[in-house]
Amino acid sequence: MSTTSPTPSPVEPGRSTPAAPAAPAARHLRVGRPQEPRRGHLALGEPEGTPDRIDVTSRSLERGGRPWFPVTGEIHYSRIDRHRWDEVLGLARAGGLGTVATYVFWQAHEPRPGEFDWSGNLDLRAFVQLAAEHGLDVVVRMGPWAHGEARYGGFPDWLEELGLATRTNDPEYLTLVRRLFAEQAAQLVGLTHAEGGPVVGLQMDNELYDQPQHLATLRTIAEELGLRVPIWTATGWGGAQVPETLLPLYSAYGDGFWEETTTEWPEFAAFHYRYSPVRDDLSVGKDLRESLDGVLLDPDAVPLKDDEQLPYATCELGGGMHVAYHRRPLMTAADVTALSLAKLGSGSVWQGYYMYAGGTIRRGPWGTSQESHATGYPNDVPTLTYDFYAPIGEFGQLRPHFHALRLQNLWLALDGEALAAMTASVGGGSEDPGELRWAVRSDGERGYVFLTTYQPARRPIDGQESVQVTVELEGGPVTVPSRPVDLPAGVSVAWPIQYRLTDAVTLQSATAALVTRVGAPGASDVVVLAATDGVPAEVVLEGDVVVAGAGRVTREDGRTIVAIDEPGPDCVVELPGVRLLVLDERTAHALSVLDLGGAPRLVLTEAGAYARDGRLVLLSEQATARVSLFPAAPGRVRAVAGEARDEPPRSIWTTLRVTLPGVGTTRLAEGLSLEAPRPPAPTRGGPLNRLSAPTDFAGAARLPIDLPVELVDGADRSLLRVTWTGDVGRAVIGETVVSDTFWHGRVWDVDLTRERDALARSGLVLELLPWRAETGVWVDPSVRDVPDGIHVEAVDVVRVGRAVLEVAPAD
């Protein structure tokens, strides 16, 4: 028990009981062997004898008779150009995903009654098949209602005009739903898990809080149409009433565009950065519950859930955040990754990110299909961009959290089976910023210690001095670190305890994260650890172990302690039968594990990297990229696209310098202050009377962009990057708006590649409206102090290059 009296949390009998502190400064937690999970009580899973059987227990999902820890990312096929699907799915797999989830937007597929379209980037079947080629499973969020910031929640206009009691068991509505589901079932024939395909789950509706009978009926309809999957889900947040036939999945966001302009930081946001077994969040979607249903849930009337009969599973951990006109959050990469790690420390056994790849909102017969005041929503969002500041951006931009989340996902790929079977115990998780926030996940024999001093910049918390915790396992106590350390502000860690490296060598503890393990022909495996900036890295081994290579070695109390002074790509600790590679934080963020040349390899590069057909594909805004590979492959790498030359070998690595064709940045304009001749007056609308997005651009400032079309040719893609301050911007080619944004503190990217021919005919004009603080739009405090008006710092064309390397298999 933490000496600072942590928040009480439910504990499964016999699983984990607090122990009295041994000393006033100590933090102790005793964890026992978990009880066996309950089985067979859920209407989920597959029959005994099913190949690669997937089942759901009270603690976790299982696959092939073993605990299974899915990692899922939301990717909307209909919002991404079809020719980019392969790249996005390749990056998702390289980012550590094992599963992708995707909405089926009814309005996109049946724009007119009875006329279905599954062509082009609406080809659900082709998307699922392509995901399978990349080794990804799929969860299809079938609807009928999707939300996803879509017009009418994804319902077609014609459905809205019928005036039916939608999202209920109204017979006329169910007839139309059955027709939609039948079309989806036809798309998925042969692709479900039971048929040897990748579709492992189906979600019924979305954010439906008070119609459990309807949710159950939707599953029944899908099954009657022949769909058989092991996992049937529904979103469970907001106190939702989910029937027993569906698995509730939860969400956690570090901010929300759906909040009011008077909300500096959402009430629940801080909760998500602490450790707690509580899964629910009453704030996500509360504006829709209030505006569409007329009832806002009372947090005191709906208890937050801690249902030990169901696994703690998520489908919407914020991979970023969208913006609305009235409120424009500015999530950072650290906000995203710290929240994700906090959920792992709290007991999550299914990490699901929303969004994982951004996209572009579709146009339809009615125009663009975003949610808006005009369609009854409380929020106006951009008409086209759905970038979401996702790990993979709207046009394939890789954000810092793509790389940081990959570290967590690689760890789950390595040890997720064990983690899924471990229960969580909170050592300290109260609101008190002076208390050490820590938790343990353990199976009684081994586990992980989680610690955090992270909260977003709007409400940061201090670092912690003299941090040391003791976990009482069945085999005895483990104290980590071996000496107290100061934990700086703004870090989140998960440290392994009692991790078996080989049959003869046990890692008693480490103040570095476990990442992955890769073998090499004729040599011992390499286990990768990642140090944290500002935290001394040490490795503690049980017994008297022979150590060579990096590190300072001391021995005490039957342990071998290796202090790591300089973690990095060359920091290799040699142990009997295994090697430890201890990376610094920046290098760790450049690490991938990809199947190349017929074997898994460590790949170090700051470029985007993924594998396709055993080849390494690199993407970069830089003209050159350094790539290091392990197991080493000297003389066995050739460039299929681009150029590559060997660099001198270093440590365990083969290193190459790769030149990517067509890369470069061209400055088109800079240092401009513009006047909008007649900016529109602010207006309000929607059911909550919030600020409305301007629709009249007749009086906007116009900035023609002199853009030679050759800047669009010769690269993998070309982005127009606008660094500016203002209110609303649109990029117009001829009479067509090709991109729009609400300024919120980031650059604005416009994909020029897909508009190449139109650009050659008509050129491009930016239409910009001025920032006016008095309007009352909420932006992040870090960018709030900007002058009124329109200020364009720079307009650049950024050319992104692609290179492809082939690694010959080992002899």
Side-chain angles (χ1 to χ4, degrees):
M1 180 184 295
S2 167
T3 57
T4 52
S5 301
T7 302
S9 58
V11 177
E12 183 179 311
R15 255 190 357 182
S16 172
T17 56
R27 288 127 171 157
H28 275 69
L29 199 67
R30 179 178 294 124
V31 293
R33 188 178 298 275
Q35 294 178 351
E36 280 296 311
R38 187 177 175 189
R39 290 182 168 84
H41 63 298
L42 302 173
L44 301 166
E46 295 171 311
E48 293 278 1
T50 303
D52 190 36
R53 181 186 179 221
I54 293 175
D55 199 9
V56 183
T57 76
S58 60
R59 180 171 302 136
S60 69
L61 287 82
E62 294 184 342
R63 193 165 191 168
R66 309 287 296 179
W68 174 42
F69 201 125
V71 180
T72 305
E74 188 84 11
I75 300 174
H76 295 160
Y77 63 96
S78 63
R79 288 172 164 174
I80 299 173
D81 291 343
R82 182 166 178 163
H83 74 271
R84 286 193 50 240
W85 284 357
D86 189 70
E87 174 189 297
V88 171
L89 291 169
L91 288 169
R93 186 68 176 134
L97 299 192
T99 313
V100 295
T102 192
Y103 276 138
V104 176
F105 291 108
W106 190 350
Q107 62 190 207
H109 293 287
E110 193 182 7
R112 287 167 290 277
E115 298 180 15
F116 283 90
D117 184 0
W118 301 96
S119 64
N121 75 332
L122 296 177
D123 193 338
L124 172 62
R125 183 175 185 82
F127 179 80
V128 172
Q129 290 173 324
L130 190 57
E133 289 183 27
H134 284 280
L136 294 162
D137 292 320
V138 180
V139 174
V140 179
R141 304 176 84 172
M142 294 181 67
W145 196 84
H147 196 195
E149 288 66 68
R151 178 186 180 93
Y152 298 128
F155 281 170
D157 279 36
W158 59 262
L159 176 63
E160 285 291 303
E161 292 164 2
L162 292 176
L164 302 179
T166 57
R167 308 182 75 190
T168 71
N169 283 344
D170 173 81
E172 291 185 68
Y173 174 64
L174 291 181
T175 297
L176 299 173
V177 169
R178 181 176 291 273
R179 184 171 71 189
L180 170 68
F181 278 18
E183 287 279 331
Q184 293 188 52
Q187 288 284 306
L188 299 177
V189 167
L191 297 180
T192 64
H193 184 258
E195 300 166 293
V199 179
V200 296
L202 299 172
Q203 179 181 299
M204 302 292 96
D205 206 89
N206 189 61
E207 297 178 327
L208 186 58
Y209 302 97
D210 59 354
Q211 295 289 325
Q213 297 86 356
H214 176 58
L215 291 173
T217 298
L218 292 177
R219 171 176 171 172
T220 298
I221 291 173
E223 288 182 303
E224 289 172 351
L225 293 168
L227 287 169
R228 297 287 185 273
V229 294
I231 309 169
W232 296 84
T233 76
T235 50
W237 56 84
Q241 301 172 41
V242 177
E244 293 182 354
T245 55
L246 301 177
L247 175 66
L249 304 182
Y250 291 93
S251 66
Y253 289 96
D255 206 334
F257 70 84
W258 49 81
E259 296 282 347
E260 297 288 351
T261 56
T262 54
T263 302
E264 194 58 41
W265 200 33
E267 178 184 358
F268 265 79
F271 170 83
H272 293 310
Y273 290 93
R274 305 193 296 270
Y275 305 113
S276 170
V278 174
R279 307 171 187 186
D280 204 354
D281 183 334
L282 300 185
S283 66
V284 177
K286 70 178 182 180
D287 57 335
L288 288 180
R289 294 197 297 275
E290 182 177 27
S291 61
L292 299 183
D293 302 334
V295 176
L296 181 60
L297 290 173
D298 178 359
D300 295 326
V302 182
L304 293 175
K305 298 176 183 176
D306 177 35
D307 190 343
E308 293 189 348
Q309 300 308 306
L310 297 167
Y312 183 174
T314 70
C315 65
E316 290 199 18
L317 302 179
M321 180 48 57
H322 201 32
V323 295
Y325 180 74
H326 74 285
R327 195 173 195 281
R328 310 174 190 183
L330 190 65
M331 294 281 289
T332 70
D335 293 345
V336 171
T337 54
L339 183 150
S340 173
L341 198 59
K343 293 305 167 185
L344 289 172
S346 298
S348 169
V349 295
W350 184 349
Q351 296 285 90
Y353 299 103
Y354 189 101
M355 295 290 295
Y356 191 79
T360 305
I361 293 173
R362 292 185 57 82
R363 293 183 173 94
W366 50 81
T368 57
S369 55
Q370 85 286 5
E371 73 174 46
S372 64
H373 291 170
T375 55
Y377 279 86
N379 313 302
D380 265 347
V381 300
T383 65
L384 290 173
T385 184
Y386 199 64
D387 179 82
F388 216 87
Y389 192 58
I392 304 172
E394 181 179 8
F395 307 122
Q397 312 97 310
L398 295 184
R399 274 52 189 269
H401 47 304
F402 172 82
H403 305 286
L405 287 175
R406 183 174 58 212
L407 278 184
Q408 295 180 21
N409 298 340
L410 288 175
W411 164 42
L412 295 177
L414 173 68
D415 206 34
E417 177 183 315
L419 192 71
M422 296 177 182
T423 52
S425 305
V426 177
S430 76
E431 297 182 31
D432 181 1
E435 179 192 17
L436 176 65
R437 297 177 177 181
W438 66 292
V440 175
R441 286 189 72 165
S442 174
D443 60 8
E445 295 183 354
R446 54 172 294 240
Y448 291 90
V449 173
F450 294 78
L451 306 102
T452 185
T453 59
Y454 189 91
Q455 272 192 179
R458 269 165 288 156
R459 200 179 299 169
I461 58 176
D462 293 335
Q464 291 279 331
E465 296 181 351
S466 299
V467 171
Q468 191 177 44
V469 301
T470 297
V471 182
E472 298 275 357
L473 299 168
E474 288 190 345
V478 175
T479 298
V480 58
S482 63
R483 301 282 189 276
V485 299
D486 293 341
L487 202 64
V491 302
S492 292
V493 299
W495 292 339
I497 52 175
Q498 293 300 114
Y499 179 77
R500 183 69 60 102
L501 293 170
T502 70
D503 289 342
V505 181
T506 296
L507 179 66
Q508 187 181 86
S509 68
T511 56
L514 184 64
V515 179
T516 191
R517 182 174 189 141
V518 171
S524 55
D525 286 0
V526 168
V527 174
V528 182
L529 302 173
T532 300
D533 289 350
V535 179
E538 72 168 15
V539 172
V540 180
L541 306 165
E542 279 195 346
D544 188 355
V545 180
V546 177
V547 180
R552 293 179 289 109
V553 179
T554 59
R555 290 177 171 84
E556 61 179 52
D557 300 328
R559 301 174 299 170
T560 301
I561 303 171
V562 185
I564 307 297
D565 294 325
E566 295 187 21
D570 301 322
C571 181
V572 179
V573 180
E574 301 276 356
L575 305 174
V578 70
R579 291 172 285 178
L580 302 182
L581 173 63
V582 187
L583 300 178
D584 62 285
E585 195 168 311
R586 177 172 177 173
T587 304
H589 286 184
L591 180 72
S592 303
V593 179
L594 302 175
D595 287 333
L596 304 172
R601 294 184 187 273
L602 301 179
V603 179
L604 278 181
T605 181
E606 294 189 353
Y610 67 96
R612 187 61 164 124
D613 299 327
R615 294 176 169 180
L616 175 61
V617 182
L618 300 174
L619 300 164
S620 180
E621 297 178 7
Q622 305 299 316
T624 60
R626 174 177 286 179
V627 180
S628 297
L629 304 175
F630 173 84
R636 293 194 288 114
V637 182
R638 71 178 185 92
V640 178
E643 298 178 0
R645 60 179 178 84
D646 290 338
E647 291 199 340
R650 49 184 297 189
S651 183
I652 63 173
W653 305 96
T654 291
T655 301
L656 305 100
R657 184 168 292 275
V658 181
T659 301
L660 295 90
V663 176
T665 298
T666 303
R667 178 65 48 91
L668 302 179
E670 62 183 343
L672 304 177
S673 292
L674 305 176
E675 294 288 337
R678 297 181 309 280
T683 60
R684 291 181 174 270
L688 298 183
N689 196 37
R690 289 173 171 171
L691 287 164
S692 299
T695 56
D696 180 5
F697 282 76
R702 293 172 54 83
L703 178 59
I705 301 299
D706 183 11
L707 204 160
V709 73
E710 55 264 26
L711 291 180
V712 184
D713 296 331
D716 184 70
R717 80 202 60 165
S718 295
L719 304 176
L720 186 74
R721 180 160 295 164
V722 184
T723 306
W724 73 303
T725 59
D727 185 27
V728 181
R730 307 196 309 183
V732 182
I733 299 177
E735 300 296 321
T736 303
V737 178
V738 298
S739 179
D740 66 338
T741 189
F742 301 154
W743 175 78
H744 57 291
R746 301 193 203 280
V747 297
W748 169 24
D749 282 350
V750 181
D751 186 1
L752 300 175
T753 315
R754 63 183 181 182
E755 309 294 344
R756 192 262 183 209
D757 294 340
L759 275 170
R761 292 192 303 269
S762 305
L764 183 145
V765 175
L766 299 180
E767 296 181 346
L768 309 173
L769 294 175
W771 176 256
R772 293 175 293 191
E774 67 180 16
T775 300
V777 167
W778 188 97
V779 293
D780 191 88
S782 65
V783 297
R784 195 171 291 169
D785 188 20
V786 297
D788 284 1
I790 304 166
H791 304 279
V792 179
E793 180 180 328
V795 180
D796 297 307
V797 173
V798 178
R799 292 153 58 88
V800 180
R802 175 190 295 262
V804 180
L805 305 181
E806 186 172 71
V807 181
D811 295 334

